[in-house]
Amino acid sequence: MLFRQLEYLVALSRERHFARAAQACYVSQPALSEAIRKLEDELDVPLVRRGRTYEGLTPEGERIVVWAQRILADRDALRSEVGALRTGLSGRLRIGAVPTASGAVSQLTAPLCAAHPLVTVEVMADLQWDDILRQLQNFEIDAGITYLHKGLSDGFQAVPLYEERYVLLTSTSDGRAHPAAATWAEAARLPLCLLNEAMQGRRVLDEVFAEAGVRPSPRVETDSVASLFAHVRTGRWASVVPHTWLHVFGVPPGMRAVPLTGPARTVPVGLVVTAREPGSVLARALTDIARRTDVAAALDRVPGDPGPR
């Protein structure tokens, strides 16, 4: 019963609405409300601020949610550990990734599923760096693939995967000359389509443009890397994309990708998991795969990729 009460409280914290929380837990709203009231009685502390509508959790409730997430994660890890001892590793691995790292995700999920046939994988490939760390802390995902910042706290451990570098993507029908390489300053003068400023990948690009002494003024912004390719295909736009996306799309017909220099900048990308022990058995399995897989070499073997400079 306690686990169910904690699940309901976590769902209410996440959904911030009694009806939606009940729907997420596949129970009626009265059943969810009564279970949370019983938890309040057992702990002898109010957890929910109630009015005509849901008004949020009390400070005590916010703290109990942190414990609840940890307890439920440990319960799930224990179940997975016992199941792995009996029948082999099974369960659902949840991976969060920044949009530009989708190519790296596929390099890890393939060997993981081959080694553990009973494991299924859910990939959320449209998260930002801070979203990934928050969801790892809240046990909403098991692992993340994201940029590795120097300020990563001791609560996480990381496995470096590759260095993200950048290429200028242009159309071959735009009427411009197509040199073997381009500078960031030259790229800034082109009609650009870039990721929007809220995305970590765009913030990285802006830092490199600033290092080159220029500021891009994109006419089109998007939250989709696929949309960047679609806009370049029209012949009206150019874009700056991570070289790993050439592994996903190749260099489509009618387009050209050239390395960007001056400066030749790279950004480390890696697998991030929580440092808690024993932690998720699924996360440990993915970490083992990451340490044995040469993701960088795999992402460089792309037809049409100009290769590192």
Side-chain angles (χ1 to χ4, degrees):
M1 182 61 182
L2 176 61
F3 285 137
R4 189 171 304 145
Q5 291 169 324
L6 296 179
E7 287 172 348
Y8 294 168
L9 183 63
V10 169
L12 181 61
S13 173
R14 181 181 64 248
E15 301 294 339
R16 307 188 65 79
H17 191 277
F18 275 100
R20 289 197 299 269
Q23 184 178 15
C25 295
Y26 302 101
V27 297
S28 67
Q29 181 174 333
L32 181 136
S33 297
E34 180 61 22
I36 292 177
R37 284 189 185 276
K38 287 183 178 179
L39 181 61
E40 290 176 315
D41 291 340
E42 292 171 12
L43 297 175
D44 193 25
V45 66
L47 302 176
V48 180
R49 292 189 283 113
R50 294 178 175 86
R52 290 187 176 182
T53 60
Y54 173 77
E55 295 181 357
L57 299 180
T58 64
E60 297 87 350
E62 295 284 358
R63 186 59 186 162
I64 295 300
V65 164
V66 175
W67 278 100
Q69 291 169 328
R70 186 177 304 174
I71 291 168
L72 294 173
D74 286 342
R75 177 203 61 181
D76 294 341
L78 174 61
R79 287 176 174 173
S80 297
E81 193 92 39
V82 172
L85 292 173
R86 290 189 309 178
T87 61
L89 195 61
S90 63
R92 191 169 187 82
L93 174 68
R94 302 160 301 171
I95 303 174
V98 292
T100 55
S102 293
V105 176
S106 63
Q107 294 300 312
L108 299 181
T109 54
L112 176 76
C113 291
H116 306 287
L118 299 180
V119 170
T120 59
V121 180
E122 178 183 3
V123 179
M124 289 148 282
D126 202 16
L127 300 179
Q128 297 184 35
W129 177 78
D130 50 355
D131 291 330
I132 289 174
L133 298 189
R134 176 182 54 79
Q135 291 192 26
L136 282 170
Q137 288 178 318
N138 294 341
F139 307 101
E140 296 172 20
I141 58 176
D142 302 295
I145 298 181
T146 183
Y147 299 101
L148 298 182
H149 294 281
K150 294 180 180 179
L152 195 65
S153 76
D154 294 338
F156 302 97
Q157 59 178 335
V159 179
L161 296 176
Y162 65 94
E163 292 284 329
E164 183 173 275
R165 52 188 168 82
Y166 304 95
V167 297
L168 176 65
L169 190 67
T170 62
S171 169
T172 57
S173 61
D174 57 14
R176 291 188 290 267
H178 296 99
T183 67
W184 288 84
E186 290 169 339
R189 292 194 291 269
L190 299 176
L192 289 174
C193 173
L194 298 177
L195 296 175
N196 65 50
E197 292 182 341
M199 303 185 72
Q200 181 68 24
R202 169 62 185 280
R203 294 197 289 269
V204 170
L205 294 185
D206 285 346
E207 289 175 4
V208 186
F209 276 118
E211 189 177 339
V214 294
R215 181 182 177 87
S217 299
R219 295 285 304 279
V220 179
E221 295 180 312
T222 176
D223 63 356
S224 164
V225 177
S227 180
L228 298 180
F229 278 75
H231 278 80
V232 174
R233 181 180 289 277
T234 67
R236 297 189 59 183
W237 314 102
S239 189
V240 177
V241 300
H243 80 286
T244 53
W245 274 93
L246 301 181
H247 182 86
V248 178
F249 293 113
V251 180
M255 298 186 197
R256 180 178 175 83
V258 299
L260 281 162
T261 61
R265 175 78 174 272
T266 64
V267 180
V269 175
L271 174 71
V272 178
V273 298
T274 60
R276 290 184 70 240
E277 293 293 343
S280 164
V281 64
L282 293 173
R284 293 206 306 270
L286 185 66
T287 300
D288 290 341
I289 293 290
R291 287 174 175 151
R292 300 198 306 264
T293 303
D294 192 344
V295 174
L299 294 179
D300 275 336
R301 292 193 297 268
V302 183
D305 185 341
R309 295 293 188 269

